[in-house]
Amino acid sequence: MTTDVSTYRYNHTMYRIKDPKASIKFYTEALGMKLLEEHHSEESKFSLYFLGYEDPASKGLVRLGRQGLLELTHNHGTENDADFAYNTGNGDVGGYGHIAITVDDLQAACARFDSLSVKFIKRPEEGRMKHIAFVSDPDGYRVEILENPMLRR
């Protein structure tokens, strides 16, 4: 039995989320992702939401044919528990870091995030690294925002 590693692709990262409405709103409205697919298992009491960006290379591809997706996993009932929170791996001990999104204009993106009341962890003007920002999703997962001038039209 053999396998060809040149065919391997990074497909997705999975985050456990408390409230799918809040999380989907953040990723679609604030970050511009598209909800590409969802699956609901009432018997097992969980739902999966797959989000990503549409670009010419991925248009029309099935989920397993795409790259760089975000899977949000919701265990039913967590949204009703005010004290419930997932460990995002970014506490005192650390461990997990973040995902990163590239934007065409960092300052304009940050102004847009402000207008949407997105929570900032680090603004570009804070600290030594002026070329990045960090925002937080509704569950506290970190998202790095990077400017890519090649995206400007």
Side-chain angles (χ1 to χ4, degrees):
M1 181 179 290
T2 64
T3 184
D4 181 358
V5 296
S6 71
T7 65
Y8 292 12
R9 300 293 180 266
Y10 175 77
N11 183 254
H12 69 270
T13 295
M14 186 274 275
Y15 283 165
R16 295 188 190 283
I17 59 169
K18 177 177 179 173
D19 181 350
K21 289 179 184 171
S23 293
I24 291 168
K25 180 178 179 178
F26 172 80
Y27 286 102
T28 59
E29 292 183 17
L31 296 183
M33 290 183 175
K34 304 278 188 258
L35 177 59
L36 301 170
E37 195 173 313
E38 55 187 281
H39 301 280
H40 305 281
S41 176
E42 295 305 322
E43 181 181 325
S44 298
K45 298 182 178 155
F46 73 89
S47 294
L48 307 176
Y49 303 90
F50 292 89
L51 297 102
Y53 292 103
E54 287 289 352
D55 61 45
S58 64
K59 198 149 187 85
L61 291 177
V62 296
R63 178 174 46 87
L64 290 176
R66 299 177 66 116
Q67 295 184 52
L69 299 180
L70 183 62
E71 174 188 354
L72 303 178
T73 298
H74 171 238
N75 293 307
H76 299 175
T78 57
E79 71 280 11
N80 300 319
D81 183 346
D83 296 324
F84 185 86
Y86 282 108
N87 179 343
T88 64
N90 283 312
D92 294 336
V93 178
Y96 181 76
H98 58 271
I99 61 170
I101 303 297
T102 54
V103 298
D104 59 345
D105 184 309
L106 182 61
Q107 295 301 325
C110 289
R112 184 172 169 279
F113 296 150
D114 275 331
S115 75
L116 295 169
S117 300
V118 170
K119 180 184 174 190
F120 277 84
I121 297 168
K122 181 214 174 290
R123 294 175 178 276
E125 62 273 11
E126 298 171 345
R128 293 183 316 234
M129 298 179 5
K130 308 294 185 197
H131 65 288
I132 64 172
F134 278 90
V135 297
S136 175
D137 86 350
D139 288 283
Y141 294 106
R142 296 176 183 177
V143 180
E144 181 177 5
I145 309 298
L146 298 161
E147 182 174 305
N148 180 352
M150 293 174 36
L151 296 176
R152 291 190 183 141
R153 294 181 187 184

